[in-house]
Every structure is written in C-alpha cells, then in structure tokens.
Amino acid sequence: MTTAQSHLNHAQDHHPAIYDPSSDIIPVEQNDIIRLQIFIPLATLTAIFSNLVSALLIKPSMSDINDLYYTLLTPNSTMIGCYWIVIFACQVAMSFMVVFTSRQRYRTENTKQTFVHAVGMPYVLGLFIFALWPMFWAAELFLGSTILLVVLLFITTYTLHSIWRHSPPSFISRPFSYIFIYLPVHLFQAVVFTVDLPQSLLITLKWYRSPIDHSWEPNHTTHTWIIFAIVLLLGLTNAYVIYRAKDFVRTVAVVYLTTSVLVKGSNSLGKVSEAPHVYSALVAVAATCMVSFIASFVDLGPDRGRIVLLDEQERRQHVAPT
C-alpha cells in the first residue's frame, strides 16, 4: 500500500461521509403526484363552485336555510361565511402548490411526500362529497346532508391524522406546507366537527324552532340538556386535541366558531334567554380551549420542581479524591 493510499484511508476513517437528508426519502411515483395535480384542483373548484351557487344563486340560499331552521347550535351566517372564505382561499392555494410542485429540490420532495402519503386521494374524495353536500342542504334533505357530513368528518379527520403522522406540521421549518396544506385541512375538519355536523344533526332530529309560528318543538326543554352535553363533549374533545398537539390553529378556529354560535340568537339576548345552560357551556368551551393551549406549554410532569437527594454510594462517586 502506498503512502498516499494510507493517508486517504486514514482520512476516510476519521471523516465520515456527509449526511444527505434526501437519501432517506423514497421518491414518490410520478403517476401519484400527477394524479393529485389533476384531481385536487378539479375537486377544489367543484366544491367551491357548488357552494357558491347554493349560497348566492339558489333560493332559499344556504344562509336562508340556516336562519329558517334555527337551532341552539346555529352559527352566525356572516361569521361562518367569512370562515369558509378563508378555507376556500387556502384550498385554492393548495391547488396551486400541488400543480407547481417541481422535482429538483429536497424540500419539494418532502412536499410531494406529504401530498401523496398524507393528503392523497381521500382528501379529493372528501372535496367531492363536500360538493354534493350543498345540494342536499338546499333541497332540505337533512338526513342525507347529515350522512354526508359524517363521512366528510371521517375523511378529514383521517387526512389530518395522516399529516400529523407522516409530516408533522411546523410553521418554522416548513411554512408553505403549514399554510397551504395543514391549515386548509385543519380548518376544514374543525368546522365540520364543531359546527356543521352538530347543526345538521339537530335539524335532522327536528330540534329546531318552527319556521312558521317560531315556537320550539314540544320536548325542547329536555333536548336543551342533551345539546348541553353535546357541546361539552365536543368542547372537551377539542380541548384535548389542542393540549396534546399544542395546536394554535385549532384554538383560534374553535374559539371563533363557538363565538359565531354564541352571537346567533332569535332575539337581542340570543342564547342567554333561549337556553342559559347551553350558553354557559359554549362560553366554557371557548375558555377551556384557550386554557388548554396555554397549559400545553407548561411542564406539569411529576419530576418538575423535585429536589433529588443522592444516596450514600452516589455521594461517594461525586466526592473528589483527596
């Protein structure tokens, strides 16, 4: 062995190869990303068009039905409309993001992994289901509307879980993926879970105020306590998710959506006069979610603040020899 070869081997032993993060990424099949580049924009535009037609052109509109079949969980039309505008804007941005995903950069490969393995075709299916939902709502087929929302909730929850599992969201390290992938899916799931499905369920059960004489259904008093329990159950679930995930997005979404339900009322006093206990539950839910988010950053572990005393053997090990 020559001297040069010896020096080369010695250098390789002491200087290992530089880690290339892209080596850990299994490239996605090009057909998979092409399929999403076609179907995500198509499904997004279909869902947006269907909802806009039902909201603006068809009579009674979605807002009219929202007011006509008033329940204790009916949100304010203006506030919920603004919320959906944000979701639609994020979904359009997601469509642009998936269409213009290139193949040259490491971060783009990560984005493609997220689209294929975390978002995928289930999200596309959810968008097509969401495009069908306004038709059932406008036709006042509330049982079908509720069934579609149940399926949509399952799909959006699965997609959100897949994003958390495959590509944990981080605004610091991956801001574009956070804003244009995680944000629209999360806001979508939050509104279906917190407002849309509960409201549709109450209308399906006919637990609403009569649009004719504005009187409540016969067992309204009993049903308000069931609604009270539903509000607490949904609120505690949201608070648990917020606490475990340190989720600022869900905190803001739940507080906003809860406020939209609080401010919607049949008179100037709103939910306070209609069902004070439901009103109190809604306020408690909003407060609990905010507290859960703050508490998620507080170390409440059993060892926090403990003073650990060393035993005799450990003290001997820490004493320097004289």
Side-chain angles (χ1 to χ4, degrees):
M1 180 181 295
T2 64
T3 304
Q5 289 176 332
S6 176
H7 283 296
L8 179 60
N9 292 337
H10 180 74
Q12 290 176 345
D13 291 338
H14 289 79
H15 298 282
I18 298 175
Y19 170 67
D20 180 10
S22 61
S23 62
D24 285 344
I25 296 180
I26 302 175
V28 299
E29 292 290 337
Q30 191 63 18
N31 289 338
D32 293 335
I33 193 65
I34 290 176
R35 188 182 301 115
L36 292 179
Q37 287 174 334
I38 295 172
F39 281 105
I40 286 182
L42 177 62
T44 299
L45 292 177
T46 303
I48 293 176
F49 178 78
S50 175
N51 278 269
L52 289 179
V53 169
S54 299
L56 302 177
L57 300 181
I58 296 179
K59 294 296 181 181
S61 66
M62 296 173 68
S63 177
D64 294 335
I65 295 175
N66 185 70
D67 296 334
L68 192 63
Y69 295 92
Y70 175 77
T71 73
L72 290 178
L73 297 183
T74 296
N76 179 273
S77 299
T78 302
M79 292 186 67
I80 205 71
C82 293
Y83 186 95
W84 277 111
I85 289 174
V86 173
I87 293 180
F88 290 153
C90 291
Q91 288 176 339
V92 170
M94 179 196 284
S95 299
F96 277 101
M97 190 174 187
V98 69
V99 167
F100 293 106
T101 297
S102 63
R103 292 183 294 173
Q104 284 75 32
R105 298 171 55 191
Y106 163 66
R107 287 189 178 275
T108 303
E109 189 63 39
N110 262 335
T111 302
K112 289 166 61 178
Q113 290 278 329
T114 303
F115 273 120
V116 172
H117 298 301
V119 179
M121 292 304 291
Y123 175 73
V124 173
L125 176 61
L127 287 175
F128 280 123
I129 290 175
F130 184 56
L132 291 175
W133 172 76
M135 303 177 189
F136 284 81
W137 185 262
E140 301 181 21
L141 301 173
F142 297 117
L143 177 59
S145 167
T146 302
I147 293 173
L148 287 178
L149 287 175
V150 170
V151 177
L152 183 59
L153 176 62
F154 175 79
I155 292 174
T156 53
T157 303
Y158 171 80
T159 304
L160 189 60
H161 175 72
S162 297
I163 293 175
W164 278 334
R165 183 161 54 93
H166 288 284
S167 181
S170 172
F171 182 77
I172 303 300
S173 60
R174 301 178 62 196
F176 289 103
S177 294
Y178 186 92
I179 295 173
F180 300 130
I181 299 178
Y182 174 70
L183 192 61
V185 175
H186 202 162
L187 294 178
F188 197 7
Q189 194 272 350
V191 69
V192 173
F193 178 74
T194 308
V195 172
D196 287 351
L197 180 56
Q199 179 192 10
S200 184
L201 178 62
L202 294 187
I203 296 177
T204 302
L205 295 173
K206 301 186 184 302
W207 294 3
Y208 54 79
R209 190 186 59 192
S210 171
I212 300 175
D213 58 5
H214 301 292
S215 62
W216 289 99
E217 32 84 25
N219 298 318
H220 174 66
T221 303
T222 302
H223 293 159
T224 58
W225 287 104
I226 300 177
I227 296 171
F228 172 82
I230 292 174
V231 170
L232 289 183
L233 178 62
L234 296 178
L236 290 175
T237 303
N238 279 321
Y240 175 77
V241 173
I242 289 169
Y243 179 78
R244 289 297 303 271
K246 295 181 172 63
D247 202 326
F248 177 73
V249 172
R250 196 170 195 87
T251 304
V252 174
V254 172
V255 171
Y256 182 88
L257 293 170
T258 304
T259 304
S260 74
V261 176
L262 281 169
V263 301
K264 178 68 175 180
S266 58
N267 52 53
S268 58
L269 294 177
K271 299 289 190 302
V272 178
S273 62
E274 296 165 351
H277 48 298
V278 175
Y279 179 89
S280 301
L282 290 168
V283 173
V285 163
T288 302
C289 288
M290 289 188 287
V291 171
S292 297
F293 177 71
I294 297 172
S296 66
F297 293 93
V298 179
D299 183 10
L300 299 176
D303 294 333
R304 183 176 182 269
R306 282 179 52 186
I307 300 176
V308 180
L309 299 178
L310 301 179
D311 58 23
E312 186 65 26
Q313 182 178 359
E314 290 174 330
R315 282 199 298 270
R316 289 176 180 175
Q317 292 176 352
H318 284 78
V319 173
T322 56

